[in-house]
Amino acid sequence: MTDPIKVIEVKESVFANNDREAEALRARMHDAGTLMINLMSSPGAGKTTLLSATLRALADKMRIGVMEADVDSDVDAYTVQEAGAKAIQLHTGGMCHLDAAMTEQGLNQLGYQDQDLVVIENVGNLICPAEFDTGAGKKVMILSVPEGDDKPLKYPLMFEVSDLVLISKVDTLPYFDFDKQKLEQNVHLRNPNAKIIYLSAKTGEGMDEWLDWLRDAVRDWKA
C-alpha cells in the first residue's frame, strides 16, 4: 500500500507575503507623494487608447509615468511614450498578472519619485490581476460596451476590488445589447462603493469626468 500524498496549501501564504510587500510599497509611494493606479481590463477593452488620450490631455498639467505589463511585446509602451509619458515595458515571463515584487522592480527602473502619477497598464484579463495587490493606491478597471453588462456577475472579484469602473466605447451603445441600468445594478451588487464613469476616448464623451477624477485622486493622495 502506498503512502498517502501530502497536500500543502500554499496559496494563502503566497498571497499573504505579496500583501505585506504591497503595503510596504504603497507606504513608500505615499511618502514620495506619487499616486500609483492599477489599470485593469480584458484584452481589447481600450486601456492603451484611453491612456494615450489621457496623457495627451494632461501632458502639461501632471508628471505621469507608465508601466506597461505584457506577457511579451513592447508595442503599448511605444504607443504611450509617443503620447508624452515616461514609459517602461514589463514582461511577466508568461504570468497573467503583476504582483508587488514585479511592480517594485518596474518602479525602480521608472524612477517614480519625480512623478505625480504612475499608471500600471496590467496584463489583459479579468481574473489574475484582481487577485494580486500591486501596491497601487487606486484600482481602476475598464469594461467595454461590446463585452456586455453581465461581466460583474461572471468576474466578481475584479469589480469588488476596483475603486472606479470605466465603461468604455460608449459610442457603440446603439449597436450592442447593453443595459446601463443592469450594469450599474450588477456592479453595485459586487461593490456598492464603486464609482462608474461612461466614456469614449474616440468621441471624448465622459473624458472630462475621468480627468477630474484623476486630478482629485492625485491631489488627495498628496494631501
Side-chain angles (χ1 to χ4, degrees):
M1 183 177 180
T2 59
D3 293 334
I5 299 296
K6 291 183 179 180
V7 178
I8 301 174
E9 298 290 345
V10 298
K11 187 175 182 180
E12 181 178 353
S13 62
V14 169
F15 283 140
N17 185 61
N18 182 74
D19 288 349
R20 285 192 294 271
E21 292 182 3
E23 283 297 335
L25 180 56
R26 195 160 21 249
R28 290 197 294 276
M29 297 292 287
H30 196 273
D31 290 343
T34 303
L35 174 63
M36 182 163 61
I37 288 179
N38 186 6
L39 185 62
M40 303 170 286
S41 79
S42 60
K47 289 195 301 296
T48 307
T49 301
L50 175 63
L51 193 49
S52 297
T54 301
L55 292 169
R56 288 191 292 269
L58 297 177
D60 59 345
K61 301 175 180 67
M62 196 180 295
R63 300 168 299 171
I64 304 175
V66 177
M67 297 193 294
E68 290 286 347
D70 283 298
V71 174
D72 206 342
S73 173
D74 54 9
V75 174
D76 290 343
Y78 278 110
T79 300
V80 298
Q81 184 173 271
E82 290 172 359
K86 184 177 182 181
I88 62 169
Q89 183 73 50
L90 301 177
H91 286 168
T92 63
M95 299 183 71
C96 59
H97 65 277
L98 287 182
D99 61 19
M102 298 176 193
T103 302
E104 185 170 19
Q105 290 181 53
L107 286 170
N108 289 337
Q109 293 297 316
L110 185 68
Y112 63 88
Q113 292 87 349
D114 60 348
Q115 307 293 321
D116 299 305
L117 174 68
V118 171
V119 180
I120 304 169
E121 185 174 343
N122 215 321
V123 181
N125 74 87
L126 294 180
I127 301 175
C128 304
E131 294 181 329
F132 286 83
D133 191 346
T134 60
K138 292 289 184 181
K139 298 175 184 177
V140 178
M141 74 87 54
I142 303 175
L143 175 70
S144 67
V145 167
E147 292 176 84
D149 53 40
D150 61 346
K151 292 302 177 289
L153 304 180
K154 295 182 177 182
Y155 303 96
L157 183 60
M158 176 60 73
F159 293 86
E160 288 170 8
V161 303
S162 295
D163 300 290
L164 174 65
V165 176
L166 299 175
I167 308 302
S168 67
K169 305 183 182 181
V170 295
D171 52 298
T172 68
L173 275 170
Y175 310 105
F176 291 92
D177 185 16
F178 188 98
D179 189 317
K180 293 171 70 174
Q181 184 175 359
K182 283 184 180 179
L183 179 280
E184 292 170 16
Q185 290 173 348
N186 292 338
V187 169
H188 290 140
L189 175 66
R190 301 304 186 187
N191 184 350
N193 297 318
K195 181 176 177 59
I196 301 172
I197 296 176
Y198 295 89
L199 54 73
S200 168
K202 181 179 180 180
T203 66
E205 179 181 350
M207 285 297 294
D208 286 343
E209 187 177 1
W210 156 239
L211 295 173
D212 286 344
W213 183 91
L214 267 181
R215 293 188 191 97
D216 289 346
V218 170
R219 181 200 63 211
D220 293 346
W221 186 259
K222 290 179 178 295

